[in-house]
Amino acid sequence: MANFEDVAKEFVGFYYNTFDSDRSQLTALYRDTSMLTFESSATQGAAAIGEKLANLSFTNVKHVVTTLDAQPSVNNGIVVLVTGQLQTEGEERPMNYTQVFQLLPEGETYYVHNDVFKLIYG
Amino acid sequence: MANFEDVAKEFVGFYYNTFDSDRSQLTALYRDTSMLTFESSATQGAAAIGEKLANLSFTNVKHVVTTLDAQPSVNNGIVVLVTGQLQTEGEERPMNYTQVFQLLPEGETYYVHNDVFKLIYG
């Protein structure tokens, strides 16, 4: 199995590229047990998470990753903490955000078991 | 077992109170398999983590939690994402930070399996 830091970097790159180009495809990264907490609103299950992401108010969005830290975790999982900036259409200034992913292995790949996203103000 | 959100809130309150009053006591919250990544510097094991925390440059420090989001996770664990402000002695302005904990149950309590701390600039 690949090094956890390489997996984390590859995952994060793929995740935000997909989010910023066609976020309906993110559904495939979640499973029925997965949880997303987006701005303190919690959703469980791939279908519900996909719907939640699809219905976010912004259309055009761009994530820029500032920092990425990864650790090996339970059941050969990986915890990834990202900080970055989010630029949405109509907003002049990018917003700071933080996001944590708990990835779990599934065959040769990983899925997102936990996902918490939070904007940072001030 | 208590509700994961209550556990997360109680843990976070205890963690920062202890950090800000006598952070040498934080060692008891970690185990040999635990990992701390503090400002992208990684440490494994309770003893090494305790030493790392004790040797941080600041003496007087105060954490103020702005947001806390928790999710149930693998093996009855809990993922907690905190954002907050850190005030250190000699710094006029508090710094924004984010921190994620992966807590795992041990008997009637929890220990910290994963801990990633990151300051947020800009």
Side-chain angles (χ1 to χ4, degrees):
Chain A
M1 194 167 285
N3 175 283
F4 68 92
E5 288 181 317
D6 293 341
V7 172
K9 283 177 195 166
E10 191 178 343
F11 165 78
V12 166
F14 177 78
Y15 184 90
Y16 291 125
N17 280 336
T18 306
F19 197 116
D20 297 349
S21 57
D22 179 7
R23 65 182 185 263
S24 70
Q25 293 185 37
L26 291 175
T27 310
L29 299 177
Y30 299 88
R31 299 293 173 270
D32 286 350
T33 53
S34 301
M35 289 195 70
L36 167 67
T37 302
F38 188 91
E39 284 292 277
S40 302
S41 163
T43 308
Q44 180 160 7
I49 291 170
E51 194 173 348
K52 170 82 180 175
L53 291 171
N55 290 330
L56 294 176
S57 60
F58 40 76
T59 307
N60 289 320
V61 57
K62 184 170 169 53
H63 295 77
V64 178
V65 172
T66 309
T67 70
L68 183 165
D69 289 290
Q71 288 182 349
S73 188
V74 187
N75 293 2
N76 298 313
I78 303 173
V79 168
V80 190
L81 181 67
V82 174
T83 70
Q85 295 199 311
L86 185 73
Q87 180 78 56
T88 58
E89 207 175 5
E91 290 284 336
E92 281 187 24
R93 293 183 56 187
M95 291 174 286
N96 286 317
Y97 75 90
T98 183
Q99 189 161 14
V100 62
F101 301 99
Q102 163 95 50
L103 307 179
L104 287 181
E106 185 186 68
E108 297 296 309
T109 183
Y110 289 80
Y111 71 93
V112 181
H113 188 67
N114 296 93
D115 180 352
V116 185
F117 173 93
K118 196 74 191 171
L119 290 173
I120 294 164
Y121 298 96
Chain B
M1 194 167 285
N3 175 282
F4 69 92
E5 289 182 316
D6 293 341
V7 172
K9 282 177 196 167
E10 191 178 344
F11 165 78
V12 166
F14 178 78
Y15 183 90
Y16 292 125
N17 279 337
T18 306
F19 197 117
D20 297 349
S21 57
D22 178 7
R23 63 183 187 264
S24 69
Q25 293 186 34
L26 292 174
T27 310
L29 299 178
Y30 299 89
R31 299 294 174 268
D32 286 351
T33 52
S34 302
M35 291 194 69
L36 166 67
T37 301
F38 188 90
E39 283 293 274
S40 302
S41 164
T43 308
Q44 180 160 7
I49 290 170
E51 193 173 348
K52 169 82 180 174
L53 292 171
N55 290 329
L56 294 175
S57 61
F58 40 75
T59 306
N60 290 321
V61 58
K62 183 170 169 54
H63 295 78
V64 177
V65 172
T66 309
T67 69
L68 184 166
D69 290 290
Q71 289 182 349
S73 186
V74 188
N75 293 1
N76 298 313
I78 303 171
V79 168
V80 190
L81 181 67
V82 174
T83 71
Q85 294 200 310
L86 184 72
Q87 179 80 57
T88 58
E89 206 176 5
E91 290 284 337
E92 281 187 26
R93 291 185 54 188
M95 293 174 287
N96 286 317
Y97 74 90
T98 182
Q99 188 160 16
V100 61
F101 301 99
Q102 163 94 51
L103 308 179
L104 287 181
E106 186 187 67
E108 296 296 309
T109 182
Y110 289 81
Y111 70 94
V112 181
H113 188 68
N114 296 93
D115 179 351
V116 185
F117 174 94
K118 196 75 190 171
L119 291 172
I120 293 163
Y121 297 96

